[in-house]
């Protein structure tokens, strides 16, 4: 049975590529885009997790395909661009989190966070932009929260995403719109390795720092990606979805 169409008419019949779509925000975006009538391609590095996500999405009646590859590998990204053909919207969840300041954190952790946020996403943009259709969009994932003294590489990476978005928005205009979503801490699979007590403590601590008094749901964050795909006069912006956390 086909899923009921969600209230996103602009996505009806669109081809949507979700990089990192096997869990969390990416999987929710893939689900909602498919429910709106889009043809979705989900990309993930872990083959087993990818197959599980694609199977689950198809069981809902969604038109979803999958590709298992490591987008950190230049040749893999170029091969993906050659294989998928034209797409209308690309959403990237690429990035990683780390803790520690510039003087205290391991060098590789800082470098890895910047690599995963900026350079892996830039590689995606350079390879995929040529196959995005006229009027399409490219949406990245930055982040809100953390400070340079306790999340050094992550903060630099998030700021770099915002800078990259502003540059690409001008370079790729008027054909492609480029934006980013900047969520604060949200309970997703990214934190699957934390023990339950630590996870509960972290969630409570983050909620206390948010003016709205709680953390976001995955669906609330995903809605921002759908908004940016459909908003045909928005480009070059990084949209915070943080309950006002950036204001305090």
């Amino acid at each position: 049975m086909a899923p009921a169409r969600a209230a996103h008419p602009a996505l009806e019949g669109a081809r949507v590529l979700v990089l990192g779509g096997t869990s969390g925000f990416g999987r929710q975006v893939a689900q909602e885009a498919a429910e709106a009538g889009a043809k979705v391609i989900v990309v993930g590095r872990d083959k087993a997790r990818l197959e599980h996500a694609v199977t689950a999405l198809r069981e809902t009646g969604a038109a979803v395909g999958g590709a298992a590859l490591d987008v950190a590998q230049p040749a893999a990204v170029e091969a993906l661009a050659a294989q998928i053909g034209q797409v209308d919207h690309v959403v990237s969840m690429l990035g990683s989190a780390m803790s520690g300041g510039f003087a205290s954190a391991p060098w590789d952790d800082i470098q890895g966070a910047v690599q995963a946020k900026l350079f892996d996403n830039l590689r995606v943009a350079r390879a995929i932009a040529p196959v995005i259709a006229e009027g399409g969009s490219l949406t990245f994932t930055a982040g809100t929260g953390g400070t340079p003294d306790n999340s050094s590489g992550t903060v630099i990476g998030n700021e770099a995403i915002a800078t990259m978005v502003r540059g690409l928005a001008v370079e790729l205009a008027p054909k492609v719109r480029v934006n980013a979503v900047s969520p604060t801490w949200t309970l997703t699979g990214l934190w699957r390795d934390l023990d339950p007590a630590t996870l509960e403590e972290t969630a409570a601590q983050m909620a206390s720092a948010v003016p709205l008094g709680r953390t976001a749901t995955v669906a609330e964050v995903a809605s921002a990606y759908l908004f940016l795909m459909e908003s045909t006069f928005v480009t070059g912006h990084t949209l915070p979805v943080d309950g006002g956390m950036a204001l305090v």
Side-chain angles (χ1 to χ4, degrees):
M1 177 187 240
R5 292 292 181 247
H8 301 288
L11 296 181
E12 177 79 39
R15 296 193 76 209
V16 177
L17 175 67
V18 183
L19 302 169
T22 61
S23 64
F25 305 143
R27 182 162 172 175
Q28 185 72 24
V29 169
Q31 177 72 61
E32 293 192 27
E35 289 175 355
K39 299 175 182 178
V40 180
I41 305 167
V42 173
V43 175
R45 183 170 54 185
D46 186 293
K47 185 176 181 180
R49 192 175 297 158
L50 174 73
E51 290 176 349
H52 176 76
V54 170
T55 298
L57 288 167
R58 285 176 176 169
E59 287 175 351
T60 70
V64 178
L69 58 86
D70 183 358
V71 294
Q73 302 301 317
V77 180
E78 292 169 4
L80 175 66
Q83 292 169 9
I84 61 175
Q86 189 176 79
V87 294
D88 297 288
H89 303 286
V90 178
V91 172
S92 173
M93 301 293 171
L94 302 184
S96 64
M98 54 82 63
S99 60
F102 289 102
S104 60
W107 178 276
D108 288 347
D109 288 0
I110 298 173
Q111 188 175 47
V114 176
Q115 173 72 40
K117 281 286 186 178
L118 174 60
F119 294 111
D120 288 354
N121 279 299
L122 179 56
R123 182 178 292 121
V124 164
R126 291 167 66 102
I128 300 294
V131 301
I132 299 177
E134 185 84 27
S137 71
L138 181 52
T139 307
F140 297 100
T141 304
T144 300
T147 60
D149 62 290
N150 65 26
S151 303
S152 52
T154 301
V155 169
I156 292 298
N158 288 333
E159 292 177 349
I161 285 284
T163 300
M164 181 185 71
V165 160
R166 293 197 300 271
L168 286 174
V170 175
E171 292 182 70
L172 299 182
K175 181 186 175 187
V176 177
R177 294 177 294 104
V178 185
N179 295 287
V181 174
S182 183
T184 191
W185 191 93
T186 308
L187 182 57
T188 69
L190 180 64
W191 311 104
R192 64 176 63 88
D193 294 333
L194 290 181
D195 64 84
T198 301
L199 191 59
E200 184 177 352
E201 180 182 350
T202 301
Q205 181 181 7
M206 296 305 300
S208 69
V210 176
L212 291 184
R214 63 178 179 85
T215 58
T217 66
V218 171
E220 285 175 318
V221 175
S223 69
Y225 293 91
L226 276 292
F227 166 77
L228 290 173
M229 278 192 268
E230 294 183 287
S231 299
T232 55
F233 206 61
V234 178
T235 193
H237 290 280
T238 297
L239 176 61
V241 185
D242 62 358
M245 188 173 182
L247 306 175
V248 297

